[in-house]
Amino acid sequence: MWIFGWKGPSGFSARSTAEEVTEGIDGNGLTAIVTGASSGLGEESTRVLALRGVYVIMAVRNVEAGRKVKEAVLKESPSAKIDVMELDLSSMESVRKFAADYIASGRPLNILMNNAGVMATPFMLSHDGIELQFATNHLGHFLLTNLLLETMKKTVLESKKEGRIVNLSSEGHRMAYGEGIRFDKINNEAEYKTILAYGQSKLSNILHAKELARRLKEEGVEITANALHPGAIATNLLRFHSTINAVTNLVAKFVLKNVQQGAATQCYVALNPQVKGVSGEYFVDSNIANPTKHAKDMDLAKKLWDFSVDLTNPK
């Protein structure tokens, strides 16, 4: 990681902002979905993508909060193209409704930014009875991506422009359970550890991108899939741990990235021409990085894919 502002091969570092990594890029004619776009990294990514001319659909759980972000962006950039749609990633019904409504709208889709997430929650189950962090961070995005993939393929054929799928992971994937993914213990409350379960969900984001990249390459489809770590950022992800959150916010200005820097890598992977044709990689500070052994295990990626298909298929 280029933590001291040293530039990596891309020419960018941990100090680079989302505006800097997309400077001079014309996103007109591109359409993007950003999940979790009503705050934090999703909000900043929405602002910067829209600033570059991308038509952004904000996929948010809180529609009213999403509309306020839209108004703020339009105030800064009156020509910005933004819409707000409701999406709760912890509910497969909500994911399916969002995808169905999006497909029915006839909109193209060039960029899918799977940004939303929860972190270190107490043990809770999703609407579908699945551990919340795994359900929200991985499974909801897995289902959303699969449901919108044909729309992306059609867009690629019609626009002759590369499609990009961007999964927000985390260096937290290094703190997953010892076996990586606990397929037979996803809902085991007795052995649940908040941080390890978070790590498991973030490892899943990388494995999802790797297996998806392999499948798309095998098909010969011009869509890339990559994962990334945005950096250590003060956001509301740690809202379930008030003391830690308070300390984090206190020291944030000294040791953590701000939101503008935090959103840089996802905007870089989504829009920068340097990433054209690059797929199945893991990025940190707008540069390709080296994830854990588990994150590079293609057998584990395939097993997770099949497991996720089983969990998301209507019974």
Side-chain angles (χ1 to χ4, degrees):
M1 294 185 292
W2 318 100
I3 56 174
F4 300 111
W6 300 329
K7 292 179 180 179
S10 69
F12 301 112
S13 73
R15 293 183 180 177
S16 300
T17 66
E19 284 197 28
E20 288 169 350
V21 302
T22 60
E23 188 174 357
I25 297 172
D26 183 3
N28 281 287
L30 299 178
T31 303
I33 291 173
V34 179
T35 69
S38 60
S39 64
L41 301 180
E43 178 180 353
E44 177 65 4
S45 296
T46 295
R47 185 187 74 82
V48 172
L49 291 180
L51 184 67
R52 302 304 178 218
V54 179
Y55 173 25
V56 182
I57 289 82
M58 302 173 61
V60 298
R61 190 171 52 182
N62 185 332
V63 173
E64 186 55 38
R67 287 179 181 143
K68 288 180 180 177
V69 171
K70 175 183 176 179
E71 288 170 9
V73 174
L74 287 172
K75 190 173 182 180
E76 178 189 352
S77 306
S79 62
K81 301 178 288 290
I82 302 176
D83 274 320
V84 180
M85 292 178 65
E86 185 174 4
L87 172 64
D88 181 353
L89 286 156
S90 69
S91 164
M92 292 188 210
E93 181 183 359
S94 176
V95 174
R96 289 194 176 94
K97 183 180 186 306
F98 175 93
D101 289 347
Y102 191 88
I103 292 166
S105 75
R107 296 186 185 99
L109 182 59
N110 304 91
I111 300 164
L112 175 57
M113 188 179 285
N114 291 321
N115 164 84
V118 294
M119 180 180 181
T121 64
F123 182 84
M124 291 186 278
L125 297 178
S126 71
H127 294 280
D128 306 286
I130 300 165
E131 189 277 309
L132 188 66
Q133 294 192 85
F134 186 79
T136 304
N137 295 351
H138 166 63
L139 214 55
H141 283 127
F142 177 85
L143 178 59
L144 178 68
T145 302
N146 279 1
L147 292 173
L148 294 174
L149 206 50
E150 289 306 314
T151 298
M152 290 197 77
K153 290 177 182 178
K154 182 183 177 188
T155 301
V156 168
L157 288 173
E158 292 178 351
S159 68
K160 309 299 182 188
K161 295 178 180 176
E162 177 183 82
R164 296 189 183 184
I165 296 166
V166 183
N167 283 0
L168 259 75
S169 179
S170 168
E171 283 289 270
H173 83 275
R174 300 182 187 279
M175 296 183 288
Y177 294 106
E179 61 269 51
I181 310 294
R182 289 190 152 187
F183 294 103
D184 58 342
K185 296 181 179 180
I186 290 294
N187 284 358
N188 190 326
E189 184 175 1
E191 296 183 29
Y192 179 79
K193 299 287 187 288
T194 60
I195 296 297
L196 298 185
Y198 174 71
Q200 173 179 250
S201 72
K202 295 288 99 181
L203 172 61
S204 297
N205 294 147
I206 302 175
L207 292 171
H208 172 214
K210 284 200 171 288
E211 176 62 12
L212 180 56
R214 185 193 68 78
R215 288 168 177 257
L216 292 167
K217 185 176 181 180
E218 198 173 76
E219 279 186 57
V221 179
E222 198 181 352
I223 298 173
T224 61
N226 292 291
L228 65 97
H229 168 59
I233 304 141
T235 68
N236 65 350
L237 272 179
L238 281 166
R239 60 188 177 275
F240 293 101
H241 299 263
S242 56
T243 303
I244 298 173
N245 204 25
V247 173
T248 298
N249 289 330
L250 184 65
V251 302
K253 62 182 177 181
F254 302 110
V255 299
L256 302 183
K257 288 184 178 184
N258 58 37
V259 173
Q260 291 76 26
Q261 293 165 332
T265 304
Q266 61 209 70
C267 288
Y268 172 79
V269 175
L271 213 55
N272 197 288
Q274 290 181 355
V275 191
K276 182 174 174 58
V278 177
S279 196
E281 296 290 351
Y282 174 65
F283 288 78
V284 177
D285 299 332
S286 302
N287 287 275
I288 293 176
N290 191 29
T292 63
K293 183 179 178 181
H294 279 317
K296 294 181 280 190
D297 185 337
M298 294 309 297
D299 290 334
L300 186 61
K302 174 65 166 59
K303 186 175 181 181
L304 175 64
W305 184 281
D306 293 341
F307 182 68
S308 302
V309 167
D310 287 343
L311 286 176
T312 54
N313 273 345
K315 300 296 189 288

